[in-house]
Amino acid sequence: MKNLFSIEQLSKNEINEILQIASEYDLNFVSDEFRHKKLVLAFFETSTRTKLSFEIAAKNLGVQVIDFMPELSSIQKGESLVETLRTLEAMGVDVAVVRHREEGTAKMLSTQLDMSILNAGDGVNQHPSQALLDALTLKEVFGELEDFKITICGDILHSRVARSNIELLSKFNVDVSLCAPKELLDNNFSSLNYHDNIDIAVQESDVVMCLRIQKERMEQMEVPNTSEYFEKYGFKKKHFEMNKDILLMHPGPVNYGVDIENGLQNHDRCLINSQVKNGVLTRMAILKKILNYIGK
Ligand code: CP
């Protein structure tokens, strides 16, 4: 695997292979196997989890990490994104992890450059490493990616996490439902089950994955009233009582009091901390596959 743009490009076998490699790592793993490799973090949108877990993952594998800061770069003098990464390539950088608000950025870059490109989120389109780390988290609980029901709840329309997760879970035998205000659904997923409110979703599911309302992508659209949204779609303490087996996921960042009731972060059926930990392990596995492909 030279690049990672989307879940669509991965076969079931490739996904299983990445998850298997990830499951064999732990957070204390340290190696200098790839000490001659250089990776740039090129984030044109904000990030905590994705950026820093890619940095930790790369360093665990011995890779040299360069943090590119767009606001301090010659991008501010008009240099293009392609020219910027071409410049880094000429300095010996092997891999770029790119987050950008424009859909298709990672794929476009791969057609212009020799370096490996990893998509760390392109607009509302894809966030493949997030779906892979979520799959690892689900696999740890259920053993296999099959025979359980998950509801993705919240702003589906603007969510690259939802899109990537639906694509990944649909390759396996997982029952995926959606729960959202009608205006935040995506017509492309009209074949999936729909729950009109989170109470029903919790009763009908094994897992609820809540999402943040992505105000920054709403443009002319009216942002939902947050207290009304929380009432109908927010995950609350009572939901852990309503279904004694229900598991809670969220890709983060969480808006507590809107997506999830405050105080649930450390509940034993809240998987958010596992998702964050698995973010490092999964990104180590993705990098391992890419670095093996391009050679030491
Ligand atoms: N889940 C996720 O992409 O989080 P960050 O925006 O913090 O990277």
Side-chain angles (χ1 to χ4, degrees):
M1 181 170 81
K2 185 184 176 199
N3 303 298
L4 180 59
F5 312 123
S6 68
I7 291 300
E8 193 188 10
Q9 79 181 71
L10 298 174
S11 67
K12 233 170 125 168
N13 281 347
E14 284 173 307
I15 292 169
N16 279 328
E17 194 191 338
I18 291 168
L19 301 185
Q20 183 59 37
I21 297 169
S23 71
E24 289 166 15
Y25 283 130
D26 62 56
L27 291 181
N28 296 319
F29 182 93
V30 185
S31 160
D32 65 355
E33 185 182 359
F34 296 107
R35 65 187 176 282
H36 299 299
K37 292 296 173 196
K38 296 182 183 69
L39 174 149
V40 66
L41 297 164
F43 278 63
F44 294 81
E45 284 188 328
T46 56
S47 170
T48 298
R49 289 150 205 78
T50 312
K51 184 177 175 185
L52 299 183
S53 61
F54 262 119
E55 178 167 1
I56 293 166
K59 286 179 174 171
N60 287 351
L61 298 175
V63 176
Q64 300 169 54
V65 177
I66 299 107
D67 187 2
F68 174 77
M69 284 180 268
E71 66 282 7
L72 298 179
S73 74
S74 289
I75 294 244
Q76 302 303 329
K77 301 173 198 161
E79 192 160 46
S80 71
L81 176 56
V82 173
E83 239 359 82
T84 300
L85 288 182
R86 210 192 305 281
T87 301
L88 286 158
E89 192 170 81
M91 293 177 190
V93 173
D94 306 283
V95 180
V97 181
V98 181
R99 174 172 283 192
H100 200 280
R101 68 180 174 283
E102 296 292 332
E103 293 167 33
T105 297
K107 197 157 195 178
M108 176 280 289
L109 288 170
S110 77
T111 64
Q112 312 271 328
L113 300 160
D114 287 333
M115 63 185 1
S116 287
I117 305 290
L118 288 183
N119 184 4
D122 57 333
V124 302
N125 185 35
Q126 282 283 310
H127 193 349
S129 62
Q130 178 71 45
L132 288 161
L133 76 87
D134 289 336
L136 179 62
T137 307
L138 289 164
K139 210 167 171 196
E140 282 177 350
V141 175
F142 294 103
E144 293 297 333
L145 292 175
E146 55 188 34
D147 297 336
F148 62 87
K149 293 181 180 178
I150 185 167
T151 297
I152 303 177
C153 180
D155 183 2
I156 311 291
L157 184 63
H158 301 103
S159 177
R160 54 196 177 205
V161 174
R163 222 149 266 121
S164 300
N165 263 297
I166 292 166
E167 282 181 18
L168 190 153
L169 296 170
S170 299
K171 288 178 189 271
F172 293 82
N173 190 21
V174 178
D175 185 330
V176 182
S177 300
L178 303 179
C179 176
K182 287 256 162 56
E183 63 275 16
L184 294 181
L185 285 170
D186 179 340
N187 288 337
N188 290 316
F189 303 130
S190 56
S191 63
L192 297 179
N193 296 329
Y194 171 69
H195 303 305
D196 180 42
N197 68 71
I198 194 165
D199 290 356
I200 306 286
V202 165
Q203 291 168 72
E204 297 286 321
S205 309
D206 300 297
V207 184
V208 170
M209 179 187 287
C210 292
L211 301 172
R212 183 175 64 88
I213 300 173
Q214 311 228 353
K215 291 181 189 164
E216 70 276 23
R217 301 193 200 283
M218 288 194 165
E219 296 171 357
Q220 290 99 354
M221 200 173 171
E222 201 175 325
V223 176
N225 174 295
T226 49
S227 54
E228 283 171 20
Y229 177 89
F230 178 65
E231 189 52 39
K232 202 161 176 194
Y233 303 102
F235 191 101
K236 303 166 200 74
K237 192 173 174 207
K238 71 170 184 182
H239 292 126
F240 282 127
E241 300 299 321
M242 203 177 266
N243 176 346
K244 297 279 188 198
D245 296 315
I246 196 71
L247 298 168
L248 171 62
M249 296 177 78
H250 193 304
V254 181
N255 285 327
Y256 284 101
V258 182
D259 328 330
I260 297 178
E261 185 176 339
N262 199 15
L264 301 187
Q265 10 325 38
N266 292 319
H267 193 283
D268 60 3
R269 281 183 274 138
C270 173
L271 301 179
I272 293 174
N273 290 336
S274 298
Q275 289 173 270
V276 173
K277 180 200 78 175
N278 285 334
V280 176
L281 309 183
T282 304
R283 287 167 179 132
M284 287 169 73
I286 293 167
L287 288 174
K288 170 91 173 162
K289 267 193 76 84
I290 283 179
L291 294 165
N292 276 346
Y293 179 89
I294 62 181
K296 296 177 190 140

